[in-house]
Amino acid sequence: MRHILSVLVENKSGVLSRVTGMISRRGFNIESLTVAPTEDEGLSRMTVIVEADKMGFEQITKQLHKIVSVYKVSDFTDTDTVERELVLFKVMVSPERRHEVIEITNVFRANIVDVGKSTLTIEATGSTSKLDALEDLFRGYGIRQLTRTGKIAMSRGGHD
């Protein structure tokens, strides 16, 4: 099962290495990882997507709590969350077909962030399924380059 973890950690060097090292040493693969400072400059939030069975996931969370630099571990797997991902596409497109890619970009509420002679660079945010659908459409034109941030998540409303 795919699990979404939000881990609040000290914003200092070595913490990312300790957290990811602990997960990988136990034989689990991190599918997605994002790390950024929070509203408190002394803390960072890690959003980790990991594939694990129930027992393995319990092992991961227990071990995370033992790391001194970890302040809080939240499991967003079965909770009501807001989830987003960012992707940049560099799409091959001739000037004659550029309007088609622009229309697709508008339908998906994405933004064109760079225009080249034979490429358009598009920025899109949203759910994984939305970005997958957009990628499928752009594949028909030819994707020269693609980069995704990985998922970030936050609980809805007043939940922690």
Side-chain angles (χ1 to χ4, degrees):
M1 179 177 187
R2 181 175 288 137
H3 296 275
I4 303 170
L5 279 173
S6 178
V7 185
L8 196 60
V9 298
E10 280 183 288
N11 187 8
K12 62 183 203 180
S13 64
V15 175
L16 173 63
S17 177
R18 284 193 294 279
V19 170
T20 58
M22 183 280 300
I23 294 170
S24 66
R25 275 192 306 277
R26 278 150 185 81
F28 298 100
N29 183 45
I30 297 172
E31 286 186 23
S32 173
L33 172 68
T34 57
V35 184
T38 65
E39 65 282 357
D40 179 343
E41 64 186 45
L43 298 174
S44 287
R45 182 169 316 277
M46 300 174 66
T47 304
V48 184
I49 313 289
V50 66
E51 185 81 26
D53 60 18
K54 185 176 180 177
M55 191 175 253
F57 182 68
E58 286 178 18
Q59 180 186 20
I60 291 170
T61 56
K62 284 178 184 176
Q63 293 299 314
L64 282 172
H65 282 101
K66 290 181 181 180
I67 299 173
V68 175
S69 301
V70 172
Y71 288 106
K72 185 176 182 180
V73 178
S74 301
D75 177 13
F76 287 162
T77 305
D78 294 322
T79 61
D80 195 17
T81 59
V82 176
E83 300 173 9
R84 292 291 183 267
E85 189 174 354
L86 168 71
V87 64
L88 291 173
F89 298 98
K90 187 176 288 185
V91 180
M92 298 294 297
V93 61
S94 64
E96 301 80 40
R97 297 191 69 196
R98 197 166 277 188
H99 70 281
E100 296 171 22
V101 173
I102 291 170
E103 272 188 51
I104 293 169
T105 300
N106 290 336
V107 167
F108 279 83
R109 294 190 180 113
N111 298 307
I112 296 171
V113 294
D114 187 54
V115 177
K117 289 182 181 181
S118 61
T119 62
L120 289 175
T121 303
I122 295 110
E123 166 194 75
T125 58
S127 67
T128 301
S129 61
K130 171 186 171 180
L131 299 181
D132 288 345
L134 190 54
E135 181 179 339
D136 286 344
L137 288 171
F138 287 154
R139 288 227 178 262
Y141 294 91
I143 296 175
R144 179 178 242 182
Q145 195 174 0
L146 174 140
T147 187
R148 291 176 88 142
T149 60
K151 191 180 291 190
I152 57 171
M154 182 182 288
S155 62
R156 289 191 178 272
H159 300 97
D160 287 343

